[in-house]
Amino acid sequence: MITARDLTKKYGSTTAVHALSFDIKPGVVTGFLGPNGAGKSTTMRMILGLDAPTEGSVTVGGKAYRDLPAPMREVGALLDAKAVHGSRTAYSHLRWVAQAGGLPRRRVDEVLDTVGLTEVAGKKVGGFSLGMYQRLGIATALLGDPPTLLFDEPVNGLDPEGIYWIRNLMQDLAAEGRTVFVSSHLMNEMEETAAHVIVIGRGELIADMPITDLTQRSSRSHVHVISPQVTELAGVLERAGGTVAKLEDGSLNVVGLDAPRIGDIALERRLGLHELTPVRASLEAAFMDLTKDSVQYRSAGERKLAETVRALATEGTGQ
Ligand SMILES: Nc1ncnc2c1ncn2[C@@H]1O[C@H](COP(=O)(O)OP(=O)(O)OP(=O)(O)O)[C@@H](O)[C@H]1O
């Protein structure tokens, strides 16, 4: 568990992180979303004791990082995968880190195996691809077999195979009961990887929620229905409380009734169903929904969320 309370970091007149409070729980991957410059790396650095908060606190398993008796056994992190001396081999790098952390040599072989670098363990890191650097960085994070793991933008620059591998690894680590906190500025990537998201914009917390809560609540989540008695079915569904949109091809998009309820209603009325497909809004669409109409903003928080979502959406499409 990572616990932040009123966590604040100022660099001179720049406030990088402002009064952040959150709990990162074990057992699920928690995504940390924010546009470039939002304060994600600064927050992670404070969690790892690399930067001191100006105000507030952050603890891992109830203790500040500097008070952890064996930090590598408590927290593992991938911050900058390229921060490894190029003339070292993967093996010697890991061996050196393990020694410094008082960890047994066998862990080096174990983590090399976990990340799939055993065959190149004797090669100089300087010749590694970005994907191999990322794998080595993850191996380093895993050396102490820690219950808490932090990954800062782990998929940056990776090919689809590498992204798929890291995503699965993070989910497996969470399924083992670990706390997994992973930052990204890509909404679609987070949607595939995380079960919960914390969103920050300009250093401030603007959302902290399970992804399914957000996407299910979105009016862009709907059930797609095809029926040979479409007009009759549409009327029945509307009377049952659904909002029904008839599409050009004669199918229906239904909001406000879930697929089992629609199926039950059709059965009761003996109306045919040829397709009944729940369509969940994407994380990006759900956020857009939450922030869509600027004249309806009720608070500065919502305005900030809208700005952040717009920035994330723009970064995500590379515009
Ligand atoms: N050492 C520093 N000195 C001065 N300003 C800093 C320092 N580190 C970060 N900042 C500023 O703090 C803000 C947050 O930066 P941070 O790197 O934490 O954001 P981020 O969300 O990780 O962004 P990115 O995805 O671009 O890394 C930015 O305005 C940045 O310029």
Side-chain angles (χ1 to χ4, degrees), residues 288-309:
M288 290 291 191
D289 215 22
L290 212 67
T291 63
K292 63 183 170 204
D293 199 346
S294 58
V295 293
Q296 289 178 346
Y297 289 147
R298 288 183 303 274
S299 69
E302 279 169 296
R303 212 159 28 238
K304 216 164 272 170
L305 176 57
E307 276 172 29
T308 302
V309 169

Side-chain angles (χ1 to χ4, degrees), residues 18-46:
H18 178 64
L20 278 188
S21 293
F22 56 72
D23 296 317
I24 312 293
K25 299 192 179 84
V28 293
V29 176
T30 299
F32 194 24
L33 263 172
N36 284 321
K40 304 181 296 294
S41 301
T42 303
T43 303
M44 289 200 157
R45 290 175 60 79
M46 287 193 282

Side-chain angles (χ1 to χ4, degrees), residues 222-227 229-235 237 244-247 249-254 275 277:
H222 61 269
V223 182
H224 186 237
V225 181
I226 297 179
S227 165
Q229 292 122 316
V230 73
T231 309
E232 206 178 339
L233 181 62
L237 294 177
V244 180
K246 200 165 178 183
L247 309 186
D249 63 3
S251 63
L252 304 176
N253 277 350
V254 183
E275 188 181 316
T277 313

Side-chain angles (χ1 to χ4, degrees), residues 4 8 49 164 186 236-237 280 307:
T8 299
Y164 183 76
L186 301 174
V236 175
L237 294 177
R280 205 161 58 95
E307 276 172 29

Side-chain angles (χ1 to χ4, degrees), residues 58-169:
V58 63
T59 58
V60 180
K63 287 198 171 84
Y65 187 90
R66 64 174 181 279
D67 297 330
L68 295 171
M72 285 186 66
R73 292 178 197 271
E74 299 289 339
V75 197
L78 170 74
L79 287 191
D80 178 6
K82 285 242 170 187
V84 181
H85 210 287
S87 64
R88 286 224 169 97
T89 66
Y91 188 89
S92 62
H93 168 72
L94 290 168
R95 178 94 183 87
W96 175 74
V97 178
Q99 248 167 359
L103 303 169
R105 194 188 198 129
R106 68 171 166 77
R107 283 298 296 155
V108 174
D109 295 310
E110 286 169 8
V111 296
L112 279 166
D113 185 45
T114 305
V115 303
L117 287 182
T118 305
E119 277 182 24
V120 293
K123 294 225 160 81
K124 287 205 172 127
V125 171
F128 275 17
S129 67
L130 181 56
M132 289 159 86
Y133 267 106
Q134 298 283 54
R135 284 175 192 251
L136 181 59
I138 290 170
T140 313
L142 295 175
L143 265 178
D145 200 13
T148 300
L149 286 149
L150 269 61
F151 299 107
D152 194 7
E153 302 273 2
V155 303
N156 258 6
L158 290 192
D159 58 16
E161 194 198 336
I163 292 173
Y164 183 76
W165 175 77
I166 288 194
R167 191 184 290 157
N168 280 324
L169 178 74

